[in-house]
Amino acid sequence: MKVLVIGTGAREHALCRSLSLDPDVTALHCAPGNAGIAEVAELHPVDALDGKAVAALAGRLEADLVVVGPEAPLVAGVADAVREAGIPVFGPSGEAAQLEGSKAFAKDVMAEAGVPTARSYVCTTAEEVAEALDAFGAPYVVKDDGLAAGKGVVVTDDLEAAKAHAAGCVGAPPAPSGQRGRVVIEEFLDGPEVSLFAITDGRTVVPLQPAQDFKRALDGDEGPNTGGMGAYSPLPWADPKLVEEVLETVLQPTVDELRRRGTPFSGLLYAGLAITSRGVRVIEFNARFGDPETQVVLARLRTPLAGVLLAAANGTLDDLEPLRWSEDAAVTVVIASHNYPGTPRTGDPITGLDEVAAEDAPHAYVLHAGTKREGDAIVSAGGRVLSVTATGEDLAAARERAYQAVARVRLDGSQHRTDIAAKAAGAKEAESAGESAEA
């Protein structure tokens, strides 16, 4: 099988790494890719938002499968262009991808499907925003209606800060379609958050293993929201029936509702969940693999990836054997540029990557996100630069290996959180100690 992956981030590097280990993959390509992906796939220049260009590239490469990684190309309809060219593609249509592209659309789908989620108001004026914020009270949750690279959500006790964020959306000029700027104001959901991915062909839904990511920039969940500073899987504190419950109450009803509307969703459906005192509630949907959760979920997947993605693209998921998973835990720690999530500093040399490969492989490895090669050097080229991923017999072992590898990487001015999976690993250690005492 010849596979073409579209994208440039650590998510795409994780996908390419897994595909490169699949014996059925005879040729692996990525466009545009990054410096790390170049080690496992052949890179090609392409405008990832240009569906015709992506389809043409796939045709020239005689690709048997195209995997569209990021959300922006999916919402722009790149998967549609590839399908029209007769090439199997993993990723929803532009219309179905509105599940991520528009928070208001997602809320409407959830309402029709009976999916549990936060109560919300869709606002188009400052007056409506003020009324909605007053109705829910603090903490205030304000979400951009459209794509915002994982940073379009503000959760704050500061009323003026909430209004200011909303003003950036409702005060925007109308889109080319004539639609006015919209913002979604929601009730605050208490409880821990969980990310659950599912692969679907529009009918059959195959859930993956749950993960938890860390959105805030600083330790202790302080600082501004980011695209994600780390993740871990499995979740030792989660109800063993969580995946089954979410499949029945969230994932399958959503896929069924989209098919009923005539916009079947084929690809990766990502449910961001809050485990509240009133039960599971959907925070948001994404239409693609999440970053950095993909890094830890794929690190634990033992079933070869290419066949699963192709079955989703071809509508044959129902014929697939149950997925196989490693019992090991996985932790990923994101190394970000100076000033991230503000305007990041780029162009700084990255060293220590060879040391990780020599000293920590195969249990720990580095996935590239915002990097590029300049001569013999690899330099930073974005906000989130690297995802250092490690596996171990439990979370404590995995995070120890991850941070050991992080310490070898040198990037001037870089930042990373030091508490990824710390609470979950500690809870598991305490549980094990209790079991030993009982024995």
Side-chain angles (χ1 to χ4, degrees):
M1 189 188 307
K2 299 177 183 177
V3 183
L4 169 63
V5 176
I6 303 300
T8 63
R11 163 187 47 226
E12 286 75 37
H13 193 175
L15 287 164
C16 285
R17 179 181 182 275
S18 291
L19 290 166
S20 72
L21 298 173
D22 187 329
D24 287 336
V25 175
T26 55
L28 182 58
H29 304 270
C30 186
N34 62 39
I37 295 174
E39 297 176 8
V40 295
E42 183 179 347
L43 302 191
H44 304 271
V46 78
D47 178 355
L49 295 175
D50 186 337
K52 290 184 178 179
V54 171
L57 173 62
R60 290 197 300 274
L61 296 174
E62 299 181 337
D64 300 299
L65 174 67
V66 175
V67 180
V68 183
E71 60 272 27
L74 289 169
V75 172
V78 167
D80 299 273
V82 177
R83 281 194 188 91
E84 288 168 7
I87 301 169
V89 57
F90 182 81
S93 66
E95 200 169 353
Q98 287 302 309
L99 201 62
E100 177 172 4
S102 169
K103 301 292 189 298
F105 175 79
K107 286 291 185 182
D108 186 57
V109 170
M110 284 187 270
E112 290 295 322
V115 170
T117 186
R119 293 179 297 127
S120 63
Y121 294 101
V122 178
C123 305
T124 59
T125 68
E127 291 75 21
E128 290 175 352
V129 167
E131 289 177 11
L133 293 172
D134 182 60
F136 288 133
Y140 305 104
V141 181
V142 185
K143 296 183 175 181
D144 297 9
D145 180 52
L147 296 179
K151 293 175 283 187
V153 180
V154 166
V155 181
T156 179
D157 289 319
D158 186 335
L159 179 59
E160 294 308 313
K163 288 180 177 178
H165 185 81
C169 299
V170 299
S177 63
Q179 181 173 293
R180 298 174 65 181
R182 299 187 296 184
V183 67
V184 176
I185 310 292
E186 287 188 352
E187 67 173 329
F188 176 75
L189 296 175
D190 64 325
E193 295 184 13
V194 173
S195 299
L196 184 60
F197 301 164
I199 291 173
T200 178
D201 57 10
R203 289 186 180 273
T204 301
V205 181
V206 178
L208 306 187
Q209 289 291 299
Q212 186 175 61
D213 75 332
F214 295 75
K215 290 293 188 189
R216 299 285 186 169
L218 307 176
D219 285 4
D221 290 327
E222 300 290 334
N225 260 352
T226 72
M229 295 298 290
Y232 70 92
S233 179
L235 311 182
W237 49 267
D239 187 328
K241 296 181 180 178
L242 175 65
V243 173
E244 181 182 342
E245 178 187 348
V246 175
L247 175 61
E248 292 178 359
T249 64
V250 174
L251 300 170
Q252 191 69 59
T254 300
V255 169
D256 291 345
E257 170 62 19
L258 286 166
R259 187 177 69 253
R260 185 190 69 78
R261 290 174 174 228
T263 56
F265 188 105
S266 169
L268 195 289
L269 177 58
Y270 166 144
L273 309 164
I275 312 302
T276 78
S277 55
R278 294 170 292 147
V280 174
R281 297 289 185 272
V282 174
I283 301 171
E284 65 175 354
F285 283 126
N286 288 339
R288 38 75 194 180
F289 279 102
D291 183 345
E293 299 98 318
T294 300
Q295 288 85 303
V296 292
V297 172
L298 291 186
R300 300 185 58 226
L301 179 65
R302 289 293 166 263
T303 300
L305 183 61
V308 180
L309 303 186
L310 184 62
N314 287 338
T316 58
L317 268 182
D318 198 36
D319 299 333
L320 215 61
E321 294 290 322
L323 299 181
R324 292 180 287 109
W325 296 92
S326 168
E327 292 297 319
D328 284 355
V331 172
T332 193
V333 179
V334 170
I335 298 177
S337 293
H338 175 73
N339 200 45
Y340 178 78
T343 303
R345 192 174 80 198
T346 59
D348 290 310
I350 303 166
T351 59
L353 301 179
D354 291 341
E355 293 175 37
V356 175
E359 302 292 335
D360 302 301
H363 299 298
Y365 48 89
V366 179
L367 298 169
H368 291 231
T371 69
K372 66 178 181 179
R373 182 172 289 280
E374 289 187 351
D376 293 332
I378 293 176
V379 302
S380 60
R384 292 186 295 173
V385 181
L386 303 167
S387 284
V388 180
T389 304
T391 56
E393 63 181 12
D394 55 25
L395 285 174
R399 76 182 302 272
E400 181 179 355
R401 284 170 171 168
Y403 279 108
Q404 183 174 289
V406 167
R408 302 187 199 278
V409 178
R410 292 173 291 280
L411 170 62
D412 187 41
S414 66
Q415 55 179 314
H416 66 270
R417 284 183 58 159
T418 65
D419 62 348
I420 303 301
K423 285 184 180 179
K428 191 63 177 177
E429 287 171 354
E431 180 184 308
S432 298
E435 290 172 355
S436 298
E438 289 173 14

